[in-house]
Amino acid sequence: MALLADPESPPVWNWLAALAETGWAVALDVVPPALAADLAAEAAALHAADRLILAGVGRAEDFTLARAIRRDKTRWLARESAAQAAYLGVMETVRLALNRSLFLGLFSYEAHYAVYEPGGFYARHLDAFKGARNRVVSTVFYLNEDWAGQDGGELAVFSHDEAREPVTLIAPELGTLAIFLSEDIPHEVRPALRERYSIAGWFRVNDRAMAPSLQAPPV
Ligand code: OGA
Ligand code: MN
């Protein structure tokens, strides 16, 4: 597959510069369209077979609390299909490109399918707390063909902690990949009015203290 590039010469992606500049980026040229279609079909089939389960909220696995914060169902990718293996292969290329161009020292990647049923949302949050966790770069790949404005379900991205208005709203359209810094970029999923499928994933470092940061460490 053309995108599974020789790691000696990873593709030059414009979104890498945007990510370094602003902490978030949208990429349309990372996952081949045929693979996106396969992933969309697999997500729908897994959901139809009831193989995605209600997500929790980290340590606070309290059901009532979790329901107030997020309403998605998830299933970890585990190379259980050729499409999953191919997606994880593409993300390995992305990991190498991030390390090569932004010196992030990313060590591994984990990802899950997610479905938000009608009315589903995820309240504003960060994917990692400064210094406390080892999620460094978040990715969300969207799997919904012909997503319309009236379907809601946008990813609202905020430039920093105090920002009240989002810098952008990203529609969860098939083929769109959102990428952002896990510790720095608050985000929320607006209520979706139709079933909304995605793959959320995180590049991690082994030891946060050993990882260089795009920003100065907190004082
Ligand atoms: C998450 C998340 C965003 C999205 O799973 O942590 O923020 O657009 N998902 O699905
Ligand atoms: Mn998130």
Side-chain angles (χ1 to χ4, degrees):
M1 196 183 307
L3 273 175
L4 294 182
D6 171 4
E8 291 305 308
S9 56
V12 177
W13 280 314
N14 289 333
W15 56 263
L16 285 164
L19 180 68
E21 179 88 6
T22 63
W24 64 274
V26 174
L28 302 174
D29 56 353
V30 172
V31 181
L35 175 55
D38 287 352
L39 293 164
E42 182 175 66
L46 287 169
H47 182 44
D50 214 14
R51 305 273 290 281
L52 284 78
I53 57 171
L54 277 175
V57 281
R59 277 160 296 188
E61 295 285 355
D62 178 275
F63 184 73
T64 312
L65 174 64
R67 288 283 293 168
I69 295 173
R70 64 188 294 189
R71 298 265 172 101
D72 56 329
K73 293 179 173 174
T74 64
R75 181 182 183 85
W76 290 101
L77 265 61
R79 296 179 198 275
E80 60 183 356
S81 68
Q84 290 185 22
Y87 184 77
L88 293 171
V90 169
M91 287 301 145
E92 176 62 7
T93 306
V94 171
R95 185 181 72 83
L96 296 171
L98 286 167
N99 284 348
R100 178 171 288 235
S101 57
L102 305 181
F103 309 106
L104 287 174
L106 305 172
F107 184 78
S108 63
Y109 181 72
E110 61 187 3
H112 61 53
Y113 279 122
V115 61
Y116 293 72
E117 290 167 319
F121 62 87
Y122 196 155
R124 177 169 168 158
H125 65 281
L126 288 169
D127 285 345
F129 297 108
K130 270 253 186 265
R133 295 253 205 113
N134 55 7
R135 288 178 170 178
V136 176
V137 176
S138 303
T139 61
V140 193
F141 184 60
Y142 297 108
L143 301 174
N144 311 285
E145 212 165 0
D146 300 326
W147 194 266
Q150 77 231 26
D151 296 328
E154 302 92 347
L155 176 67
V157 175
F158 301 86
S159 56
H160 57 89
D161 251 358
E162 285 76 45
R164 304 185 72 89
E165 294 302 320
V167 273
T168 191
L169 294 177
I170 301 171
E173 177 66 32
L174 181 66
T176 301
L177 180 67
I179 305 162
F180 51 90
L181 299 182
S182 307
E183 298 176 329
D184 298 309
I185 301 295
H187 53 283
E188 71 188 26
V189 179
R190 303 258 167 106
L193 302 180
R194 64 177 252 214
E195 261 154 4
R196 174 193 191 272
Y197 292 95
S198 61
I199 301 173
W202 299 272
F203 292 104
R204 314 182 72 118
V205 292
N206 244 357
D207 178 351
R208 191 67 189 87
M210 299 297 289
S213 174
L214 281 179
Q215 304 198 349
V219 282

